[in-house]
Amino acid sequence: MSAKERLYSFLETKLADYDLILVSNRQPYEHRYSSKGIDCITPAGGLTAALDPVMQATKGVWIAWGSGTADRDAANEEGHVKVPPGKDLYLLHRLWLTKQDLKDYYYGFSNQVMWPLFHNAFGRPSFKHSFWRGYERVNKKFAVAVNKELQQRKGRNTIVWIQDYQLALCSEWIQRDYETTMLLHFWHIPWPSSELFGICPWRQELLRGLLHNDIVGFHIREYVYNFLRSVERYLPEAEVDYRNRHVVYKNNITHIREYPISVDFDYINHAARSRKTVDRIKHLRSNMRFQFPIIGLGVDRMDYTKGIIEKLKSLAVFLKKYKHYRKKFVYVLVAPPSRSRIDLYRRVGYSIQNMVSDINYDFQAAEWQPIVFMHENLPLDELIAYYRMADFLIVSSLHDGMNLVAKEYVAAQVDQKGVLLISEFTGAAKEMKDALIINPFDTEQFARRIGEAIRMPLRERRVRMQKLQDYVAKHDIYHWLYTILADALDISTERKLF
Ligand code: ADQ
C-alpha cells in the first residue's frame, strides 16, 4: 500500500469520527477581482497543495486570513466560503486583518522578529513592543475563530491543527474540552539553540503558548531538543522529560516530536516523465541561454536565509579557478521576490541582482553569460522541467527548517544524472545522506564541491540519486501527514483510556 493509500484509508476509517480544524496564516484559495468579475486562485505553495486534499477527504474547516481583494464578497457574513470552487467539499473560514494587524503581526513580529531569531539571527530581530502587541492581538483573533468552530462541534471529537511560527500563541486562548479536542502545532522553521532563543524578550510567553498543545511537531530531532532545552531553561516550573520527549506544564502534557516534511514524490516523478515536460525541456534547450552542456540550478525565495549571496560568491570563485568550464556551463537562478515590503529583503534583493550583473560582466564571453537570473514565480510543472533538465542543484541555505526544493529536485530527476549539493544547515541534509554536503560559509570548499559535482561520473550520480529517490519516495508528504495524524489519534485514545 502506498503512503497515500494508507493515509486515505486511515482518514476514512480511524479518523472518520474526528473533525479537522486547520489553522494557518495563509489560505488555500483566494478570491481576486479581475476584469471578468471575481477569480478564485490557489496561491502557490507545497503545504497548501498537500493539505487541501486532506481537507477535502475529512470535510473539515480551514481557518486563515482572507488576504484576497474579493475575499469578503465571496464569503458569507461569518467569513465562510465552501471550497474548492464547484466541488464545495470543505469550509474555508476567513478572518479579517486590518492594515495595522498586518504591519505589526505579519510584517513586524512574524517576519522581522521570529524569522530572523529562529534562523540564527542572520537578520537582526527588531524587538518592537508594538509588533509583539500586534502578534498577540492577531493570535487571539485566530483563537476566537477556532472557538466559534469548536462551539458548533460540541461533543464531537475534533483535531485542531495549527501551522507555523505566526501562530505560536493561538492555543492559549482556545477554549477546549479536554475529552474531545486535540491541539497540534507544526513548526515549519528551525528552533534555535536555547542561548539564541533566550535573547527574545517574550521567550516565556512563546513557550507557554506552545505548551497548550498536545503535540508540537518539528522537522528534525535537533529542533526538538533545542525546544526542550529552551523550556528547561526559561520555564523552570515546567517538567521536561528528555527520554520521552514531553513537557508537563500546568497539568498539560505536550509531546515534542519530529516529523520531517516532504513532497508529493509520485506526482512530481510522473509529471517529470510526461510528454509535456519532455517537450518543455526541448523548448528550453532551444533557447540560446541554455545551449551549454552543463546546467546548474538554484530555486530559492529571495530570502537572506537561503544563502543566495554565498552561492554567487562560490560560483564566482569556481569560474575563476576552473577557467575551462567557461562557455560549458550555465547556472540558472530562479529566485522569486519575497516579503519585499520589508526593507532588509529589498536590500538583499538589490545585492543579489548586483552580484549577478557583476559576475556576468566579469566572466562573460561571446554569446555566453554564466548566470541566468529569473526573478519570478513559476508554476510547479514548469519548475519540474527545470529540475529534470539540471545537472546539479545547489541548496545553500544558512539555516533552513527542512527545504522542499531539494526533495522536489530528487523526485524530478528521472534520468538520475543530477547531483544534489545541499547545505549542512538545512533539515533536509540530515536525511539526504547521498547528496554532496556543503558549508555555504566556506567559499573555497563550496567552489570545490561544485567542481566535484560537475566531474562526478555518471555511475556514481545514478547510485546516489537512486538512494535519494528511494528515501524520498518512502518518506513523502503522505507519510508526513499520516505520522502526525496517527500520533494525534493515539494520544487522544490514550487520554480517553486513563
Ligand atoms: P520555505 O522557506 O518557503 O518554506 P522551501 O521548503 O524550500 O522553503 O519551500 C519553498 C517552496 O516554494 C517549494 O515548494 C518550491 O517549489 C516553491 N518555490 C520556490 N521558488 C519558486 C519559484 N520561483 N516559483 C514557484 N515556486 C517556487 C518553509 C521553511 C522550510 C520548510 C517549508 C515547509 O523555511 O524550511 O521546508 O516551510 O515546512
Side-chain angles (χ1 to χ4, degrees):
M1 195 193 281
S2 72
K4 188 174 183 176
E5 286 160 353
R6 183 180 57 169
L7 172 71
Y8 284 105
S9 130
F10 172 76
L11 294 176
E12 279 159 24
T13 53
K14 303 261 174 58
L15 227 59
D17 289 342
Y18 280 75
D19 282 356
L20 185 60
I21 301 180
L22 202 96
V23 193
S24 70
N25 176 61
R26 287 273 173 201
Q27 55 181 348
Y29 295 92
E30 189 174 89
H31 288 90
R32 288 184 188 165
Y33 292 121
S34 72
S35 52
K36 286 179 233 128
I38 293 181
D39 285 344
C40 182
I41 60 133
T42 41
L47 185 73
T48 37
L51 290 169
D52 181 60
V54 172
M55 294 305 288
Q56 294 190 27
T58 55
K59 303 187 174 51
V61 186
W62 189 323
I63 300 175
W65 158 45
S67 51
T69 47
D71 275 352
R72 278 182 198 264
D73 268 6
N76 69 13
E77 270 174 19
E78 290 166 308
H80 284 167
V81 56
K82 287 207 173 132
V83 288
K87 284 191 184 164
D88 295 356
L89 286 173
Y90 71 91
L91 212 56
L92 173 59
H93 176 152
R94 287 176 172 147
L95 56 85
W96 314 112
L97 301 183
T98 64
K99 269 193 178 159
Q100 194 62 40
D101 285 341
L102 279 177
K103 188 167 168 255
D104 296 333
Y105 145 81
Y106 184 69
Y107 291 107
F109 202 78
S110 297
N111 290 327
Q112 291 184 69
V113 178
M114 303 280 271
W115 184 265
L117 179 70
F118 285 76
H119 288 91
N120 280 352
F122 289 117
R124 195 172 250 273
S126 175
F127 293 123
K128 281 192 193 162
H129 285 240
S130 56
F131 287 172
W132 170 253
R133 285 193 296 274
Y135 188 77
E136 274 189 314
R137 188 170 67 239
V138 173
N139 269 255
K140 265 183 206 160
K141 281 192 184 185
F142 274 89
V144 167
V146 174
N147 289 337
K148 274 190 199 152
E149 297 297 339
L150 282 175
Q151 274 293 325
Q152 287 171 22
R153 290 172 175 73
K154 261 200 162 148
R156 278 190 62 73
N157 289 319
T158 308
I159 295 176
V160 180
W161 187 9
I162 302 164
Q163 304 291 328
D164 227 355
Y165 66 100
Q166 297 93 353
L167 299 172
L169 305 178
C170 185
S171 311
E172 189 165 342
W173 295 293
I174 293 178
Q175 289 148 6
R176 62 143 150 182
D177 174 350
Y178 274 85
E179 282 289 301
T180 53
T181 316
M182 290 291 293
L183 296 184
L184 322 183
H185 193 122
F186 190 81
W187 198 260
H188 290 265
I189 62 175
W191 192 278
S193 71
S194 60
E195 287 80 8
L196 193 59
F197 172 68
I199 67 172
C200 179
W202 302 282
R203 60 195 185 192
Q204 286 197 324
E205 287 84 343
L206 290 171
L207 292 172
R208 281 195 205 113
L210 286 169
L211 292 177
H212 280 81
N213 292 288
D214 299 296
I215 302 181
V216 176
F218 294 99
H219 290 303
I220 57 170
R221 186 154 298 191
E222 185 180 313
Y223 310 152
V224 167
Y225 282 114
N226 284 348
F227 180 82
L228 291 173
R229 265 183 230 114
S230 302
V231 175
E232 186 178 47
R233 199 156 167 179
Y234 303 115
L235 279 187
E237 65 275 35
E239 235 179 82
V240 178
D241 181 335
Y242 283 97
R243 232 185 96 228
N244 295 307
R245 281 175 275 142
H246 69 228
V247 176
V248 182
Y249 181 65
K250 296 202 169 151
N251 290 330
N252 189 48
I253 174 160
T254 308
H255 301 267
I256 317 299
R257 301 249 165 108
E258 77 224 43
Y259 305 102
I261 200 169
S262 191
V263 297
D264 190 340
F265 183 92
D266 287 341
Y267 175 83
I268 297 174
N269 196 266
H270 282 127
R273 290 173 197 278
S274 70
R275 172 107 315 257
K276 196 175 143 207
T277 302
V278 173
D279 290 346
R280 186 66 198 142
I281 294 174
K282 253 192 216 146
H283 179 77
L284 287 172
R285 282 284 192 184
S286 66
N287 185 319
M288 284 284 285
R289 298 190 300 177
F290 300 119
Q291 286 178 359
F292 302 95
I294 305 160
I295 297 203
L297 178 67
V299 178
D300 315 278
R301 275 188 306 105
M302 276 282 224
D303 192 299
Y304 53 87
T305 61
K306 299 290 179 188
I308 304 173
I309 288 180
E310 286 69 13
K311 179 151 56 187
L312 290 170
K313 273 189 195 160
S314 302
L315 282 164
V317 169
F318 168 78
L319 286 164
K320 215 171 179 174
K321 225 171 162 171
Y322 302 97
K323 293 200 173 53
H324 52 283
Y325 282 122
R326 294 187 193 178
K327 290 196 84 167
K328 293 215 172 76
F329 136 102
V330 67
Y331 189 79
V332 186
L333 180 62
V334 186
S338 177
R339 303 174 191 169
S340 36
R341 284 188 192 198
I342 299 171
D343 218 30
L344 176 58
Y345 279 79
R346 280 202 300 271
R347 288 206 305 272
V348 170
Y350 294 140
S351 306
I352 292 169
Q353 300 202 15
N354 287 337
M355 275 183 86
V356 170
S357 309
D358 287 350
I359 295 174
N360 278 342
Y361 181 81
D362 291 346
F363 296 98
Q364 67 188 319
E367 294 171 344
W368 177 71
Q369 288 204 318
I371 315 268
V372 174
F373 181 44
M374 297 167 63
H375 191 33
E376 60 196 297
N377 262 300
L378 301 178
L380 180 59
D381 286 354
E382 177 79 0
L383 267 184
I384 289 173
Y386 281 92
Y387 286 141
R388 177 168 174 184
M389 180 172 74
D391 300 290
F392 65 95
L393 174 112
I394 306 178
V395 172
S396 51
S397 312
L398 309 182
H399 205 188
D400 209 334
M402 173 52 66
N403 193 282
L404 293 176
V405 168
K407 294 186 175 182
E408 287 166 2
Y409 177 65
V410 166
Q413 265 299 309
V414 291
D415 313 300
Q416 299 185 322
K417 67 177 170 81
V419 180
L420 171 64
L421 292 103
I422 189 163
S423 158
E424 62 181 287
F425 309 114
T426 59
K430 306 280 182 290
E431 298 175 278
M432 315 296 258
K433 304 276 187 222
D434 290 282
L436 285 187
I437 306 293
I438 51 165
N439 174 354
F441 299 96
D442 183 349
T443 311
E444 298 292 322
Q445 179 236 50
F446 190 166
R448 265 202 317 277
R449 288 268 186 278
I450 297 174
E452 276 172 40
I454 292 177
R455 286 191 305 272
M456 189 183 286
L458 188 59
R459 255 186 58 182
E460 186 179 346
R461 288 166 186 247
R462 291 229 156 106
V463 171
R464 284 176 182 260
M465 191 48 77
Q466 183 64 54
K467 286 189 188 159
L468 289 168
Q469 289 181 336
D470 289 347
Y471 183 87
V472 181
K474 198 164 165 216
H475 301 89
D476 66 359
I477 186 73
Y478 301 104
H479 175 81
W480 180 77
L481 287 162
Y482 172 80
T483 46
I484 295 180
L485 293 172
D487 274 3
L489 183 67
D490 279 353
I491 292 167
S492 155
T493 316
E494 241 173 61
R495 207 160 59 193
K496 282 179 185 146
L497 287 175
F498 297 103

